[in-house]
Amino acid sequence: MAASKKKRTGARAAVVVVLCLVLVCVVAAAVALGLVSRRVKSFAGGASFSLDYQITSTAAEEPALYKVLAQFGGTSGRVDGQYTPEALQLELYPQASGSSQPLTRLYISKDETLYDAGQLYRTLCSSITDNHPLAGVLIPEWNMGSYISQTQLASLLGVDDTATSLQSMNDFQLDLKKIKKAQPENAKAGYLYFRLETDDTAADSPVLTLGVEKSGLLRAASPAVHILLDIPAHGIHTELTGTVTPAAPTLTAPTSRMQDSDIASLVQLRQTVESVVQFVQGAASGTQSAS
């Protein structure tokens, strides 16, 4: 009888230990989930970032925006920026240029996409004068509003304005209910990947996969990330690596904007720059021949 009683006591003790272990695991899981939830919420309100990027075309014919970037060597480089749930602000630094000045800036809200054409023009002129100092006295200064809208840029390029709009980037929200675990083909070792879902069910809607380094997910102030962005409507795939830091930026739409009447002037300005480049190149060739 005594032996039987000891067995029952030992069994009850074992059950208590198991239940305690289960309880500890449940509490630990709840704490971890709470930490992840708070971490996600800290990024959902806004952040700043610095990322290396590589853009490739996935279309049979290179899309309009990709052609513009390729013309200026901007399909790879670094992108610095900030975002809030309402807007996104970017600065592109092409790898090829090595310049401390951005190629251009973008402002993307749910209503519009704006491109800093003035900065793009100044970058172009700087590149020209570096190679042909004489051109500096011949190239006109920029005297219009700096930012061009998606509709104005589409008109300038002769394409539909859907080819120049990036508002769909603002459809992605860091909501735990809309984050699904994923495993992309080119996943990095030691990273945890999530697919961010949106309410857009169209076949050509953007697809965003966010990878976060596991070791820094909860501890690092600026965790390392690996981001994969596909935009079928534009025929481009973008891969980004770098760090993201929670922040509360205040983003406002640029006030220096081009007027619709400036588009014709912009076309003429581009033609003038092309003529100046042809002139100085011809003059340089003539000088070299004479020598």
Side-chain angles (χ1 to χ4, degrees), residues 177-245:
K177 296 178 181 178
K178 294 185 178 181
I179 297 178
K180 303 296 182 183
K181 192 173 180 181
Q183 188 64 27
E185 291 183 1
N186 54 341
K188 290 179 176 291
Y191 278 67
L192 188 62
Y193 288 86
F194 301 94
R195 180 74 49 80
L196 274 65
E197 298 182 344
T198 69
D199 295 328
D200 189 352
T201 58
D204 62 350
S205 61
V207 178
L208 178 63
T209 303
L210 172 63
V212 184
E213 191 175 27
K214 294 178 184 177
S215 61
L217 178 60
L218 298 179
R219 296 195 301 270
S222 303
V225 296
H226 179 212
I227 301 172
L228 305 170
L229 174 63
D230 287 284
I231 313 178
H234 291 290
I236 59 174
H237 168 78
T238 305
E239 186 166 349
L240 308 103
T241 55
T243 57
V244 179
T245 305

Side-chain angles (χ1 to χ4, degrees), residues 5-60:
K5 185 176 182 181
K6 287 181 180 180
K7 287 182 181 179
R8 288 198 298 272
T9 303
R12 285 198 298 271
V15 170
V16 170
V17 170
V18 171
L19 288 175
C20 286
L21 289 174
V22 170
L23 182 60
V24 168
C25 291
V26 169
V27 171
V31 170
L33 182 60
L35 289 172
V36 171
S37 177
R38 287 196 293 274
R39 190 63 161 162
V40 169
K41 288 179 181 178
S42 71
F43 282 100
S48 61
F49 52 85
S50 181
L51 306 166
D52 293 328
Y53 73 88
Q54 176 70 51
I55 302 174
T56 54
S57 173
T58 58

Side-chain angles (χ1 to χ4, degrees), residues 18-258:
V18 171
L19 288 175
C20 286
L21 289 174
V22 170
L23 182 60
V24 168
C25 291
V26 169
V27 171
V31 170
L33 182 60
L35 289 172
V36 171
S37 177
R38 287 196 293 274
R39 190 63 161 162
V40 169
K41 288 179 181 178
S42 71
F43 282 100
S48 61
F49 52 85
S50 181
L51 306 166
D52 293 328
Y53 73 88
Q54 176 70 51
I55 302 174
T56 54
S57 173
T58 58
E61 181 180 350
E62 292 181 348
L65 289 181
Y66 183 86
K67 286 181 179 178
V68 173
L69 285 174
Q71 182 180 358
F72 292 94
T75 56
S76 64
R78 189 183 87 248
V79 55
D80 294 344
Q82 300 173 309
Y83 75 81
T84 69
E86 291 77 32
L88 177 65
Q89 211 167 47
L90 307 172
E91 291 186 342
L92 296 181
Y93 295 83
Q95 187 177 33
S97 70
S99 174
S100 60
Q101 295 298 315
L103 170 66
T104 188
R105 300 180 179 89
L106 283 80
Y107 176 84
I108 306 169
S109 70
K110 63 181 180 64
D111 300 315
E112 61 184 354
T113 304
L114 302 174
Y115 302 85
D116 192 344
Q119 177 62 26
L120 186 63
Y121 179 77
R122 287 186 286 272
T123 301
L124 173 62
C125 291
S126 177
S127 175
I128 293 172
T129 54
D130 285 346
N131 295 308
H132 308 286
L134 176 62
V137 298
L138 301 174
I139 293 179
E141 292 186 359
W142 183 270
N143 58 4
M144 297 172 279
S146 194
Y147 280 80
I148 186 171
S149 72
Q150 67 192 49
T151 304
Q152 293 167 333
L153 180 59
S155 174
L156 181 65
L157 297 175
V159 297
D160 189 89
D161 62 0
T162 56
T164 55
S165 66
L166 295 172
Q167 284 94 290
S168 56
M169 296 303 95
N170 281 58
D171 291 340
F172 295 107
Q173 302 294 334
L174 281 173
D175 184 343
L176 286 173
K177 296 178 181 178
K178 294 185 178 181
I179 297 178
K180 303 296 182 183
K181 192 173 180 181
Q183 188 64 27
E185 291 183 1
N186 54 341
K188 290 179 176 291
Y191 278 67
L192 188 62
Y193 288 86
F194 301 94
R195 180 74 49 80
L196 274 65
E197 298 182 344
T198 69
D199 295 328
D200 189 352
T201 58
D204 62 350
S205 61
V207 178
L208 178 63
T209 303
L210 172 63
V212 184
E213 191 175 27
K214 294 178 184 177
S215 61
L217 178 60
L218 298 179
R219 296 195 301 270
S222 303
V225 296
H226 179 212
I227 301 172
L228 305 170
L229 174 63
D230 287 284
I231 313 178
H234 291 290
I236 59 174
H237 168 78
T238 305
E239 186 166 349
L240 308 103
T241 55
T243 57
V244 179
T245 305
T250 301
L251 304 184
T252 56
T255 56
S256 178
R257 300 177 58 162
M258 295 179 60

